[in-house]
Amino acid sequence: MAFRYSRRVQFAETDMAGIVHFAQFFRYMEEAEHALWRAAGLSIAKAHENIGWPRVSARFDFKAPLHFEDEFDVHVTMGKITRSTITWECRLTRGETLIGEGSSTTVHVGRKPGEPLKSAEIPAQVLAALRAVVDG
Amino acid sequence: MAFRYSRRVQFAETDMAGIVHFAQFFRYMEEAEHALWRAAGLSIAKAHENIGWPRVSARFDFKAPLHFEDEFDVHVTMGKITRSTITWECRLTRGETLIGEGSSTTVHVGRKPGEPLKSAEIPAQVLAALRAVVDG
Amino acid sequence: MAFRYSRRVQFAETDMAGIVHFAQFFRYMEEAEHALWRAAGLSIAKAHENIGWPRVSARFDFKAPLHFEDEFDVHVTMGKITRSTITWECRLTRGETLIGEGSSTTVHVGRKPGEPLKSAEIPAQVLAALRAVVDG
Amino acid sequence: MAFRYSRRVQFAETDMAGIVHFAQFFRYMEEAEHALWRAAGLSIAKAHENIGWPRVSARFDFKAPLHFEDEFDVHVTMGKITRSTITWECRLTRGETLIGEGSSTTVHVGRKPGEPLKSAEIPAQVLAALRAVVDG
């Protein structure tokens, strides 16, 4: 069970080695995550009004390169969930080929006027809506 | 007389053709413009607090490619000035080689609470400070 | 008559002013152009094997901002055609709103072993295939 | 002992949350690594002629945000070294503030005509030159 986001490699995403630049994969993971929010009837944009969901960490393991015009999929599942964080797990594939695997952890934060940012409990209905999309 | 901004090409700025991607040149022009603001003791960042200086137009003519690790200069001068707009003219060179020429026009806007954005006269002291940098 | 390319604004394409960064619009125009090549049964990628189609110039006039998650269209038509260059004309719209208009000129170049790059006549069948897509 | 690379945040590197976009940190790490190669009298560009040094993995832990015009340092050290891989460890700081920590692993590969890519032993003199820079 995973949410699937499909995408094509654009020219500006390649580098002089003729393949997609490694930092671009973190954008692909983020695009897939945001598409998942939209599929849940939510928008990370709205969440951003109150500061939102900064990244705590991100990682990616590269298995095979992507080239210009390749069509690929990002398969997103939920990893570890805590009171205020979600870890998204992503697998990138091009047909049967595994391109790589990564994850990123975001923390739900809020801000009250005159106070510093701090992590805040993820609302139960947000979590339920996201989970429903991932579980298909 | 021109303000000079020096830069080196980074790997992620190249594309599969082995040269700097054409859209990147607009970022180079912007970096040079912002360095000029700083040299004037101003910051475009502060300006952005009140919405700031959106782009009206931008153009670039490409004469020769830039490659990874090339060191180049952006020479910035002021073109047409109106009540609320500045046009920045840029020449990119690598040593004696002309890489390209471009320009971009930005408009000074303000926003009062509850009112739509609108163009606003550029303060005379801002213009004077910018001009002083360009004129060396 | 125009070729239409549809796209959604991604988070990483925005800047601290809360809108799509101006240099990103040149990437949108390029994506649309490459989609047009694919619709013509061609690939700019293949063209790149023999160096391809470097940019001669690019310009964009900004009329209204794009925000995160906005869905927009790039409408591409052919402007001036010469022996070795094509000028692509682009209009960006979000629903009924004009976001901006731009163009970019690319030159067809070839390289023979041991010789410098030089502009080369655009093959008639390439031009015909591209035109057929634009003319719908 | 670490190699230090200094940088200023550019406008296009920020996103609508008003801070540097998380994927950009991977570019900062790469820029620092390439500066280190240059300090060693080497160029990753030359290495790329024979395919070079693709990424095996990359990760970053975010501790504090960076804002437009912030000046920051990337401190690079060598982590685990194997026959064909180097892991670069990076700390980003702005003054006394820790911005984040990350690492990336690259593998040295070679290609003989008509054969697939494969990992290749890192030449001892390359390793010695890189180490000399890191050890100051």
Side-chain angles (χ1 to χ4, degrees):
Chain A
M1 295 296 228
F3 173 75
R4 190 176 66 163
Y5 173 71
S6 297
R7 178 73 148 73
R8 185 191 291 277
V9 172
Q10 299 296 339
F11 193 81
E13 297 162 3
T14 63
D15 63 30
M16 63 184 274
I19 59 178
V20 171
H21 188 262
F22 86 104
Q24 180 65 38
F25 288 83
F26 293 93
R27 291 187 170 210
Y28 292 156
M29 288 200 291
E30 183 177 63
E31 289 186 17
E33 180 195 328
H34 290 174
L36 191 159
W37 277 76
R38 284 190 296 271
L42 302 169
S43 170
I44 196 80
K46 184 127 184 298
H48 265 284
E49 282 167 23
N50 303 305
I51 303 314
W53 291 82
R55 304 278 160 186
V56 175
S57 64
R59 47 159 283 282
F60 200 83
D61 294 325
F62 303 89
K63 302 300 185 189
L66 279 178
H67 297 88
F68 177 49
E69 295 195 328
D70 279 355
E71 293 180 273
F72 64 93
D73 296 307
V74 186
H75 308 269
V76 187
T77 55
M78 288 172 110
K80 193 180 174 190
I81 310 283
T82 70
R83 178 184 162 276
S84 60
T85 67
I86 301 178
T87 296
W88 299 102
E89 304 283 350
C90 296
R91 293 181 70 244
L92 260 79
T93 56
R94 185 191 54 230
E96 299 299 305
T97 304
L98 177 63
I99 299 301
E101 293 180 291
S103 64
S104 91
T105 300
T106 58
V107 58
H108 183 227
V109 297
R111 178 157 60 180
K112 295 187 184 148
E115 288 179 28
L117 275 182
K118 70 179 191 190
S119 66
E121 188 169 358
I122 303 170
Q125 70 273 34
V126 167
L127 211 51
L130 295 171
R131 240 191 253 276
V133 171
V134 172
D135 292 346
Chain B
M1 295 299 229
F3 173 75
R4 190 176 67 162
Y5 173 71
S6 297
R7 179 73 147 73
R8 184 190 291 276
V9 173
Q10 298 297 338
F11 193 81
E13 296 162 4
T14 62
D15 63 30
M16 63 184 273
I19 58 179
V20 171
H21 187 263
F22 85 104
Q24 180 64 38
F25 287 83
F26 294 92
R27 291 188 171 210
Y28 292 156
M29 287 201 290
E30 182 177 62
E31 290 186 17
E33 180 195 327
H34 290 175
L36 190 159
W37 277 76
R38 284 190 295 272
L42 303 169
S43 169
I44 195 79
K46 185 127 183 300
H48 266 283
E49 283 167 22
N50 303 307
I51 302 313
W53 291 81
R55 304 277 159 185
V56 175
S57 64
R59 48 159 285 280
F60 201 82
D61 294 325
F62 304 89
K63 302 300 186 189
L66 279 178
H67 296 88
F68 177 50
E69 295 195 327
D70 278 356
E71 293 181 273
F72 64 93
D73 296 307
V74 186
H75 309 269
V76 188
T77 54
M78 287 172 111
K80 192 180 174 191
I81 310 283
T82 71
R83 178 183 162 276
S84 61
T85 67
I86 301 178
T87 297
W88 299 102
E89 303 284 349
C90 296
R91 290 180 72 243
L92 260 78
T93 56
R94 185 192 53 228
E96 300 299 305
T97 304
L98 176 63
I99 299 300
E101 291 179 294
S103 64
S104 91
T105 300
T106 58
V107 59
H108 183 228
V109 296
R111 177 156 62 179
K112 293 186 185 150
E115 288 180 28
L117 275 182
K118 69 180 193 187
S119 67
E121 187 170 359
I122 303 170
Q125 71 271 35
V126 167
L127 211 51
L130 295 170
R131 241 191 252 275
V133 172
V134 172
D135 292 344
Chain C
M1 295 301 230
F3 173 75
R4 190 175 67 161
Y5 174 71
S6 298
R7 180 70 149 74
R8 184 191 291 275
V9 172
Q10 299 296 338
F11 193 82
E13 296 161 5
T14 62
D15 63 30
M16 63 185 274
I19 57 177
V20 171
H21 188 262
F22 86 103
Q24 180 65 36
F25 288 82
F26 294 93
R27 290 188 172 210
Y28 292 156
M29 288 201 290
E30 182 177 64
E31 289 186 17
E33 179 194 327
H34 290 175
L36 191 160
W37 277 76
R38 284 191 295 273
L42 303 168
S43 170
I44 195 80
K46 184 128 185 298
H48 265 286
E49 283 167 22
N50 303 306
I51 303 312
W53 291 82
R55 304 277 160 187
V56 174
S57 64
R59 49 160 282 281
F60 201 82
D61 294 326
F62 303 89
K63 302 300 186 188
L66 279 179
H67 296 89
F68 176 49
E69 294 195 329
D70 278 355
E71 294 181 272
F72 63 94
D73 297 308
V74 186
H75 308 269
V76 188
T77 54
M78 288 172 110
K80 193 180 173 190
I81 310 282
T82 71
R83 178 185 163 275
S84 60
T85 68
I86 301 177
T87 297
W88 299 101
E89 304 284 350
C90 297
R91 291 180 73 244
L92 259 79
T93 57
R94 184 193 54 230
E96 299 299 304
T97 305
L98 177 63
I99 299 301
E101 293 180 291
S103 64
S104 92
T105 300
T106 58
V107 57
H108 182 228
V109 298
R111 178 156 62 182
K112 294 188 183 147
E115 287 179 29
L117 275 182
K118 70 181 190 185
S119 68
E121 188 169 358
I122 303 170
Q125 71 273 33
V126 167
L127 211 51
L130 295 171
R131 240 191 254 273
V133 171
V134 172
D135 292 344
Chain D
M1 296 297 230
F3 173 75
R4 191 176 65 163
Y5 173 71
S6 298
R7 181 69 149 74
R8 185 191 291 275
V9 173
Q10 299 296 338
F11 193 81
E13 296 161 5
T14 62
D15 62 32
M16 63 184 272
I19 58 178
V20 171
H21 188 262
F22 85 104
Q24 179 64 36
F25 288 83
F26 294 93
R27 291 187 171 209
Y28 292 157
M29 288 202 290
E30 183 177 64
E31 289 186 17
E33 180 195 326
H34 289 174
L36 191 160
W37 277 77
R38 285 191 294 273
L42 302 168
S43 170
I44 196 80
K46 183 126 186 299
H48 265 285
E49 284 168 21
N50 303 306
I51 302 312
W53 291 81
R55 305 277 160 188
V56 174
S57 64
R59 47 159 284 281
F60 200 83
D61 294 326
F62 304 89
K63 303 299 187 191
L66 279 178
H67 296 88
F68 177 49
E69 295 196 328
D70 278 355
E71 294 182 274
F72 64 93
D73 296 308
V74 186
H75 308 270
V76 188
T77 55
M78 288 171 109
K80 192 180 174 191
I81 309 283
T82 69
R83 177 184 164 275
S84 61
T85 68
I86 301 178
T87 297
W88 299 102
E89 304 283 351
C90 296
R91 290 181 73 243
L92 259 79
T93 57
R94 183 192 56 229
E96 300 298 305
T97 305
L98 177 62
I99 299 300
E101 292 181 292
S103 65
S104 92
T105 300
T106 58
V107 57
H108 182 229
V109 297
R111 178 155 62 180
K112 293 187 184 150
E115 287 180 29
L117 277 182
K118 70 182 193 185
S119 68
E121 188 168 359
I122 303 170
Q125 71 272 32
V126 166
L127 211 51
L130 294 171
R131 240 190 253 273
V133 171
V134 172
D135 293 344

